[in-house]
Amino acid sequence: MALLRAALAQPFSPRPALPVRHPPTSLTGSGLSLDFSLPPHPGVGAPRRAYPRIEATARRGARTESAKVRNRRLQKKFNGTATKPRLSVFCSNRQLYAVLADDHNKKILFYGSTLQKSICGDPPCGTVEAARRVGEELVRVCNELGISEVSYDRNGFARGDKMMAFEVPVSQHGFLPR
């Protein structure tokens, strides 16, 4: 069969022939009648594939959702009250920002960052040490306000050096479940 296709200058395909969509070409010679049925060529200059194309597909919406949309969706779950406020932490490449928010009354109970002069001190310390001081300041303010538990929202940020330094005093006070 392959020799006959080579003689006719038709490409060889190991897959079985597809259903006929055009009239077959017949070859008659010395009492032998053969019919070749090949599907039409897929395109000019495009080679035929010997095997079907494999496509890998992910779940719907996987890794296409933006960080802002994901954060807005998760804020519905982390809704802060006066007795259990939301502790939202933003960690950039250089700094760490922490906000203790009462979402029902729309009030900020505490704001601390590694940029504040009162936290960094004079001379200024490194950002990891400043992140630890932000955590200590947060615990002090929570004791003053009589807050015994918080809803922790780290906005999907990985627990790097600054985040871990911030979480140590907060978890020692019993705010974070470990």
Side-chain angles (χ1 to χ4, degrees), residues 90-144:
F90 175 77
C91 190
S92 70
N93 288 341
R94 296 184 181 186
Q95 308 300 330
L96 181 127
Y97 307 89
V99 176
L100 198 62
D102 178 9
D103 293 322
H104 286 288
N105 298 328
K106 294 185 173 50
K107 291 191 177 185
I108 302 296
L109 305 175
F110 168 78
Y111 168 76
S113 76
T114 54
L115 289 173
Q116 291 176 334
K117 299 280 186 195
S118 61
I119 290 177
C120 274
D122 191 38
C125 61
T127 55
V128 176
E129 175 63 24
R132 186 186 59 77
R133 290 180 184 178
V134 169
E136 291 171 355
E137 186 70 19
L138 172 75
V139 169
R140 187 186 62 75
V141 169
C142 286
N143 286 336
E144 288 176 4

Side-chain angles (χ1 to χ4, degrees), residues 11 23 44 77 85 100 133-134 150-151 168 170 174 176:
V44 178
K77 188 171 90 170
L100 198 62
R133 290 180 184 178
V134 169
V150 295
S151 175
V168 167
V170 176
L176 303 181

